[in-house]
Amino acid sequence: MKKEIIVYSVSDSLGGTSQRLLSAVTAQYPDLIFNNSYRFPFVSQEEELLDILKDAVKDDALVISTLVNGKLAALARDFSQTHHLAYLDLMYPFFQLIEQKTGTSPIEVPGTLHRLDSEYFNKISAIEFAVKYDDGKAPQGFLEADLILLGVSRTSKTPLSIFLANKGYRVANLPLIPQVPLPQTLDKVGKKRIIGLICEPEKLAKIRSNRLHSLGLTNSTSYTDLEKIYQELDYSKEVFKKYQAHVINITDKSIEETAFLIEDYMKKLK
Amino acid sequence: MKKEIIVYSVSDSLGGTSQRLLSAVTAQYPDLIFNNSYRFPFVSQEEELLDILKDAVKDDALVISTLVNGKLAALARDFSQTHHLAYLDLMYPFFQLIEQKTGTSPIEVPGTLHRLDSEYFNKISAIEFAVKYDDGKAPQGFLEADLILLGVSRTSKTPLSIFLANKGYRVANLPLIPQVPLPQTLDKVGKKRIIGLICEPEKLAKIRSNRLHSLGLTNSTSYTDLEKIYQELDYSKEVFKKYQAHVINITDKSIEETAFLIEDYMKKLK
């Protein structure tokens, strides 16, 4: 039987940061079960915090904290030491190093990561843009886009557009289909703004076949036929050449990896 | 003049985790500038790592690491101690606590967070679902959705759908417009799957007015008129009552906060 670790997450905001770090950590322990259902957001009172920590002791839990309130964080540290509680403060080591380097203290305002500032509104607007200009729905969006993703069906254009939107980029995408003429707007797009997505034909056939199964359909030959896929990919490569697209091979890459490569390319353009 | 801190991020994968934590930390220092352009992903060789750390010493940088390779991480720790480099390992304290608690060591495989497993494919599929069933485009999607978001224009239905999709929920959304009849599919939706979004009328008027400006339009009275907005919101409340929707007030909340409340509601349903 796999061992289980109960994890308590304590935050004076939503606790999203500790969830992210926890995902990275737990991925390193395939043989352990992490019970992560004990999340305590918006903690602001000492008594409340102490009650949580006492429960954590009873549960023999691992406690992770992103408290930014210095008094609460110190209380949790002291309590954990006295009660031999496995406790990890994700913010405090940073605060200490920055204090040493600059003499500056944190403002200790919870939830500043979620403040409704211009960066936030830009991100929201980029997400709306990506949804609106997905799948070549409205090619006029190409002219406003930071990036246009081109690729044949199932080269992950939609999730990539959304993922890059989360980072603030305005991304439109267009599926390449040999029989369908390209929108003229594409000729007016600023230089270096076009990304071409390719994939190994065998892998693409498999992805498409899985896709049809998940939709409850049987194999449609023209969609999953390797010969046809070769033709589609050849056509897409011609298009990429014509528009001098920056080409990325998505085979066996996660969306995060491909997005990273695109962001890297964008940064070098500036 | 604001003080600048140069931050080096070292990872044997993409380094997305350290970026997330860094955002939370830097938000606590409005009076400091964090230069975060030194990102070193996919570090796998000792020499490469030492070169990076030597540069960090020259730049008087703060180094954060999410290295999972124990040998590389130990090298970086030793080097930093010897050279008085401000160095923060985000993974190691976790690894130590888990070792103490369970005797288990991490597998030290980089990039496991991005592995192409069923959870990953579920997330991608949820993102595609949200884009496909955005804005009431195809009400048949309601029957497959985990959640349907209803609300008048500018109650953040689209970004909320996408944000929840990132967490694996299949979310459709439908704009409520008094003159437009509701799709019949809504009557067949499973109990408790409908979320109603409301907003204070004055705030909504302001959001809509900003929206029109960002589109380069002057104020359209029927869209931003407070009287009309009251009517729209009254209508939406009637709809929420009819479908016994779980109602959330989005006024002054970030997408993350509203998504958190919806996720919390979903978890309690189970």
Side-chain angles (χ1 to χ4, degrees), chain B:
Chain B
M1 222 181 78
K2 287 187 179 184
K3 276 187 202 167
E4 187 184 90
I5 298 188
I6 295 177
V7 181
Y8 275 45
S9 314
V10 183
S11 174
D12 33 27
S13 180
L14 292 170
T17 303
S18 54
Q19 296 310 302
R20 169 69 200 230
L21 188 56
L22 199 58
S23 299
V25 169
T26 56
Q28 295 297 323
Y29 297 92
D31 290 333
L32 292 177
I33 296 169
F34 290 84
N35 178 346
N36 185 25
S37 51
Y38 298 86
R39 289 181 60 179
F40 303 93
F42 305 119
V43 173
S44 63
Q45 304 298 323
E46 297 196 357
E47 270 188 43
E48 187 188 3
L49 178 60
L50 285 174
D51 284 345
I52 295 166
L53 295 174
K54 282 174 198 163
D55 284 344
V57 171
K58 280 183 211 151
D59 284 340
D60 191 22
L62 167 62
V63 182
I64 54 179
S65 149
T66 48
L67 291 167
V68 295
N69 180 312
K71 226 172 142 186
L72 288 178
L75 182 71
R77 267 195 310 279
D78 291 347
F79 179 95
S80 304
Q81 217 159 22
T82 321
H83 294 79
H84 305 289
L85 180 64
Y87 175 80
L88 207 52
D89 185 329
L90 302 183
M91 308 300 277
Y92 186 64
F94 261 107
F95 292 167
Q96 280 182 303
L97 279 181
I98 292 168
E99 173 99 49
Q100 282 168 26
K101 257 197 160 1
T102 67
T104 313
S105 305
I107 51 173
E108 299 191 10
V109 177
T112 36
L113 192 56
H114 307 292
R115 65 189 183 284
L116 306 176
D117 59 6
S118 65
E119 194 180 320
Y120 170 83
F121 287 112
N122 182 49
K123 189 178 103 173
I124 299 303
S125 147
I127 290 174
E128 290 176 334
F129 186 93
V131 172
K132 188 169 175 189
Y133 297 113
D134 180 59
D135 207 34
K137 268 182 306 213
Q140 70 270 28
F142 293 174
L143 301 176
E144 289 173 62
D146 296 320
L147 276 176
I148 298 124
L149 307 181
L150 305 184
V152 303
S153 177
R154 292 284 107 194
T155 46
S156 58
K157 297 181 294 298
T158 298
L160 264 177
S161 302
I162 295 294
F163 198 90
L164 288 160
N166 273 314
K167 308 211 155 200
Y169 295 98
R170 296 163 82 81
V171 184
N173 74 70
L174 176 75
L176 294 181
I177 307 164
Q179 303 81 2
V180 178
L182 295 166
Q184 290 188 339
T185 331
L186 213 50
D187 298 316
K188 298 177 202 149
V189 167
K191 278 263 170 267
K192 315 263 183 191
R193 298 283 170 225
I194 300 180
I195 306 280
L197 302 170
I198 52 163
C199 182
E200 299 305 324
E202 291 75 14
K203 187 75 189 185
L204 196 57
K206 209 178 151 199
I207 295 174
R208 288 186 175 183
S209 172
N210 289 341
R211 170 69 172 174
L212 290 181
H213 278 121
S214 77
L215 294 172
L217 301 169
T218 47
N219 272 8
S220 135
T221 32
S222 71
Y223 189 63
T224 55
D225 181 67
L226 208 50
E227 184 65 31
K228 284 270 168 23
I229 287 181
Y230 271 103
Q231 286 171 16
E232 279 185 58
L233 287 170
D234 282 348
Y235 166 72
S236 74
K237 283 174 198 164
E238 278 170 41
V239 174
F240 299 159
K241 207 170 163 186
K242 180 181 170 191
Y243 291 102
Q244 298 173 5
H246 179 73
V247 179
I248 293 179
N249 188 332
I250 65 151
T251 313
D252 295 326
K253 288 197 184 79
S254 70
I255 300 299
E256 287 87 343
E257 284 171 291
T258 310
F260 180 87
L261 294 176
I262 294 176
E263 229 192 323
D264 201 42
Y265 166 76
M266 289 294 285
K267 278 183 187 157
K268 281 173 189 158
L269 272 191
K270 279 176 193 165

Side-chain angles (χ1 to χ4, degrees), chain A residues 21-188:
Chain A
L21 187 57
L22 199 58
S23 298
V25 170
T26 56
Q28 293 298 322
Y29 297 92
D31 290 334
L32 293 177
I33 296 169
F34 289 84
N35 177 349
N36 184 26
S37 51
Y38 298 85
R39 290 180 61 177
F40 303 93
F42 306 119
V43 173
S44 63
Q45 304 297 324
E46 296 194 358
E47 270 188 45
E48 187 189 2
L49 178 60
L50 284 175
D51 284 345
I52 295 166
L53 296 175
K54 282 174 199 163
D55 284 344
V57 172
K58 280 183 212 153
D59 284 339
D60 191 24
L62 166 63
V63 181
I64 53 178
S65 150
T66 49
L67 292 167
V68 296
N69 180 310
K71 226 172 140 186
L72 288 179
L75 181 71
R77 268 197 308 281
D78 292 346
F79 180 94
S80 304
Q81 216 157 24
T82 321
H83 295 78
H84 306 288
L85 181 64
Y87 175 81
L88 208 51
D89 185 329
L90 302 183
M91 308 300 277
Y92 186 63
F94 262 107
F95 292 167
Q96 281 183 303
L97 280 181
I98 292 168
E99 172 100 49
Q100 282 167 25
K101 258 198 158 2
T102 67
T104 313
S105 304
I107 53 174
E108 299 190 10
V109 178
T112 37
L113 192 58
H114 308 291
R115 64 190 183 284
L116 306 176
D117 60 6
S118 63
E119 193 180 320
Y120 170 82
F121 287 111
N122 182 48
K123 189 179 103 173
I124 299 302
S125 148
I127 290 175
E128 290 176 335
F129 186 93
V131 173
K132 189 170 174 187
Y133 297 113
D134 179 59
D135 206 34
K137 268 182 305 215
Q140 69 270 27
F142 293 173
L143 301 176
E144 290 172 60
D146 296 320
L147 277 176
I148 297 125
L149 308 182
L150 306 184
V152 303
S153 177
R154 296 282 106 194
T155 47
S156 59
K157 296 181 295 299
T158 299
L160 264 177
S161 302
I162 295 294
F163 198 89
L164 288 160
N166 273 315
K167 308 211 156 201
Y169 294 100
R170 295 161 82 83
V171 184
N173 74 70
L174 176 75
L176 295 181
I177 306 164
Q179 304 80 0
V180 178
L182 295 166
Q184 290 189 341
T185 332
L186 212 51
D187 297 316
K188 299 177 201 149

